[in-house]
Amino acid sequence: MGSARLYLSVAVGGFRRYASYRAATAAGVFTNTVFGLILVYTYLALWDERPGLGGYDQAQAVTYVWLGQCLYATLAIQGGGAEKELMERIRTGEVAVDLYRPVDLQLWWLAGDVGRAAFQLLGRGLVPFLFGSLFFTMALPTEAAVWLAFAVTLVLAAVVSFALRYLAALCVFWLMDGMGIGQVLMITGVFFSGMVLPLNVFPGTLGEVVRVLPWAAQIQVPADVLMGETDPSAAFAFQAAWAVALLAAGRLLQSVATRRVVVQGG
């Protein structure tokens, strides 16, 4: 119980920390709304030419756009969550302090990132999504059970997102700098998560591959649950499997890094 309260406090601290950046949050809301409008009209033109593309009608395509804008910062699709600070702490050697704390390193950073994600969802993601629902026709469910299942997918998506970024951050133990790995996170995050186009639009073998990669758990799976395009239990299983696998890989890599690698600067 004491450990649970500790990590809950870390999560609350992460929420409060990002809540203090009011100007950045307002700018993010504006940016996501503008990009949402650009993408919506692009999607509408595309779906006019190709009705039913990817198995979506126009209302579903519009819903997908605004959900992506809602989750862009929430899931740190292009990076910028806990991994950014962790990379810097590894580079400077300050991570040695973290390793001496009587807490689990991975859970500490996960708790903080969950707090960050919660604020980004409420403070930055909700407004563009509501804007989209007011001015465009969206395929939103009316059943409370669907919304509850969708909420579960968001939690699992946040864990998968963190696990991916945590693995990337640990690479700095060997690379000594996070700039390159940050660029890789940005590119893979945008492309493989379906941020630009739904993954079910991708053709042939490429589509089959991207839909089973962990990035699909971030936007595509929650979107399909929200719009009734997939069974929630199958979605939960897919996301949970990737969350467990990636967290286990992160724990293994963390063990190797802290045992064999000399921290730069310390």
Side-chain angles (χ1 to χ4, degrees):
M1 289 297 294
S3 296
R5 285 196 296 270
L6 170 64
Y7 295 119
L8 179 60
S9 297
V10 174
V12 171
F15 186 98
R16 289 177 175 172
R17 175 184 178 186
Y18 280 85
S20 65
Y21 301 130
R22 297 176 185 175
T25 299
V29 169
F30 176 77
T31 300
N32 286 127
T33 303
V34 170
F35 272 95
L37 287 169
I38 294 171
L39 282 174
V40 159
Y41 285 110
T42 302
Y43 273 37
L44 289 175
L46 180 58
W47 259 259
D48 276 338
E49 293 295 322
R50 296 285 303 276
L53 181 63
Y56 286 168
D57 58 27
Q58 279 195 340
Q60 290 175 312
V62 169
T63 304
Y64 188 93
V65 168
W66 291 112
L67 181 61
Q69 294 306 307
C70 175
L71 299 181
Y72 171 79
T74 302
L75 302 178
I77 297 297
Q78 286 189 294
E83 85 288 346
K84 184 176 181 181
E85 183 178 354
L86 179 56
M87 286 177 183
E88 182 62 17
R89 291 183 71 83
I90 294 172
R91 187 189 70 81
T92 61
E94 291 177 281
V95 71
V97 177
D98 302 333
L99 295 172
Y100 274 109
R101 288 178 179 145
V103 295
D104 184 272
L105 184 69
Q106 188 183 54
L107 288 178
W108 173 278
W109 287 99
L110 172 58
D113 198 62
V114 167
R116 176 206 61 80
F119 172 76
Q120 296 288 23
L121 176 64
L122 298 175
R124 177 169 172 175
L126 195 58
V127 172
F129 189 79
L130 291 175
F131 175 88
S133 68
L134 288 174
F135 293 97
F136 296 90
T137 301
M138 292 172 60
L140 299 177
T142 57
E143 301 86 359
V146 177
W147 284 103
L148 180 60
F150 172 65
V152 174
T153 65
L154 292 187
V155 174
L156 291 171
V159 176
V160 171
S161 171
F162 166 80
L164 282 167
R165 290 178 285 111
Y166 188 74
L167 275 169
L170 292 177
C171 293
V172 179
F173 273 107
W174 289 274
L175 299 176
M176 301 300 178
D177 184 81
M179 184 173 294
I181 198 69
Q183 293 298 312
V184 172
L185 275 177
M186 179 180 70
I187 295 169
T188 56
V190 170
F191 184 79
F192 290 115
S193 70
M195 189 70 203
V196 178
L197 275 174
L199 299 182
N200 54 17
V201 171
F202 285 42
T205 302
L206 176 61
E208 294 175 2
V209 171
V210 296
R211 286 190 289 271
V212 298
L213 294 178
W215 290 274
Q218 295 178 290
I219 297 179
Q220 187 67 58
V221 171
D224 283 340
V225 169
L226 181 67
M227 295 185 291
E229 290 294 317
T230 191
D231 178 54
S233 59
F236 299 160
F238 176 79
Q239 291 179 299
W242 272 119
V244 171
L246 291 169
L247 288 173
R251 190 164 291 274
L252 178 61
L253 188 60
Q254 172 187 310
S255 176
V256 173
T258 55
R259 184 172 64 248
R260 298 184 179 181
V261 178
V262 176
V263 177
Q264 183 178 3

